[in-house]
Amino acid sequence: MTHSTETREAARPRPPRRRPPARAGLAETVRFMATHTLPVFVRGVASPRFGVVALYSRLNQPAWSDATLRSMRARHGGAPVLVRGLSGEMLVLFDEEDVARFFAEPMDVLAMDARDRLDSLSVFEPTGVICSHGRLREDRREVNDRALAAGQDVHPSCAEYQRIVTQECRPLTATTVLGLPGLRTALARISRRTVLGDRAADDTELAGWLTTLRDRANWMGRSRPEASRALYARAEERIARYAADAPEHTLAARALAAPCPEGTDPLGQTHHWLLAVEVCAPVVLRTLLLLAAHPAEQDEVRAEIAADTPGLPRLRACVRESLRLYPIVPDLVRVTRAATQWRGVRHPAGTTVHVPIGFHQRDPERVPGGHLFAPGRWLVPGADLDPRTAPFGQGPGRCPGDRLGLLLSSLVCAEVLRGNRLTGARPVLDTGRPLPGILDTAGIRLRLGRP
Ligand code: HEM
């Protein structure tokens, strides 16, 4: 990648003359807003509204957004397109090389602190990395990454987390039908125990406060800001009490144990961690649904579990594949800190850059079998760095909890599948056809039977 003092350009040869940017016209902008941007807000930016998800599933809403993005890409020849969004213009990337560059650029060029995200998430994690700027952001990210053991395949607390998962999954395998409520309860307890310790396991009051704050984050911080600040303060105090004597293996203790730069609250990230671990519940449920619909894959995974294969690579590949098909973060956003050039067109500092990664990673024109469940693709060397399929993002902005999320999700799946077989599931997925673009996760029911 070449650097210049004023502008940056991807290594690909570009025409020297300046061109006007590709810009969405009025009809295209309205279509983009109606089929892509607004549905994300209605579904909930910070906390999914499951009723809306069920409606989208009936209406096959992702197909509308896919059709819009496909036609924009064709109309503008794959060039980045400026589109007016809810809070100003953004540059939408369609080309694989542009997406690869989006991931590769350092934070001082493509920063992660986009305004929308801050407004929304500062309700429940005001001192978290996601709501910080500049140097402070980097410091906070460092504290965060150390506690999460970002980039390490085996988390140092792996053995303790395995023990917690085994204990919390017992109620799940004691039943014959598994759905979202049971998994949410299990993951919420796993989350409190791994982040704050066993003393917090039963604290559903704290969980309720954090849920309220997350729901309010859907309103971009405009719903009852005073009440939210007071609630945040109560939650913060409760978290600090647990953290004060949390055992070594917890994320809170790991954050407190390391040196912490001035202005960086080591516990400022706990809210995000508690949420992020809980989010593994729908991930696990969708992975298991896909395995129920693909019995041969289920057999391979069960054999891997029975053999105690270290790291459960096949099962992890299934979790990744379910995240590719049903991403938690379908749109990635950065804001430029310097002037940049994309395909020979100069864009000023402060440009919002948008990658609809949920669209890209299913795109059958670029990703073979894009709408099918094919977990083997994640076992191919280098798959984790393929910019077409990036459910955790990539590069300096990559999710620092990716390994932990995969670890906990695959351990929970393994507990369910150990000694059990998924014998039936609702909804019934037709594996001979493209998989639905969205699943009504709250409506999933899995039947557990003896093998
Ligand atoms: C298992 C499911 C998970 C998925 C699919 C996921 C995905 C993502 C994605 C796509 C991003 C944004 C990356 C970008 O903008 O390029 C992100 C950010 C982040 N994730 Fe995750 N994540 C997961 C689990 C976790 C867990 C378990 C934790 C911690 C306990 C975590 C902590 C974070 C943090 C702190 C950030 C913000 C990073 C920053 O803004 O610098 N994630 N995640």
Side-chain angles (χ1 to χ4, degrees), residues 282-299 301 315 317-327 362 370-375 378 413 417 421-422 424-431 433-439 441 444-446:
V283 174
V284 167
L285 195 57
R286 290 189 286 260
T287 306
L288 293 174
L289 176 73
L290 289 161
L291 286 171
H294 296 82
E297 199 59 54
Q298 192 189 152
D299 286 344
V301 165
L315 181 49
C318 293
V319 177
R320 278 179 199 263
E321 182 68 346
S322 101
L323 284 166
R324 181 188 69 80
L325 290 161
Y326 302 106
R362 256 194 185 227
H371 290 296
L372 302 177
F373 180 66
W378 293 102
C413 287
L417 291 171
R421 189 171 175 77
L422 300 165
R426 286 271 174 282
V428 175
L429 300 179
D430 181 348
T431 55
R433 304 191 48 203
L435 289 165
I438 187 169
L439 291 171
T441 308
I444 294 176
R445 297 285 178 278
L446 303 172

Side-chain angles (χ1 to χ4, degrees), residues 102-103 107 112 117 125 129-131 137 141 144-145 148 195 251 269 272-274 276-280 283 319 323 327-334 357 390-394 396-406 408-409:
F102 173 94
F103 287 133
M107 287 289 154
M112 293 183 81
R117 195 139 74 137
E125 47 174 312
V129 62
I130 220 165
C131 300
R137 183 180 215 289
R141 174 83 197 228
N144 173 79
D145 287 10
L148 293 176
V195 176
L251 295 181
Q269 203 56 42
H272 189 109
W273 295 336
L274 288 163
V277 174
E278 279 184 38
V279 164
C280 295
V283 174
V319 177
L323 284 166
I328 289 176
V329 188
D331 292 282
L332 302 175
V333 180
R334 303 277 188 273
I357 194 69
F392 294 103
Q394 279 172 17
R398 187 186 176 103
C399 169
D402 60 346
R403 310 292 209 284
L404 183 60
L406 283 172
L408 295 174
S409 301

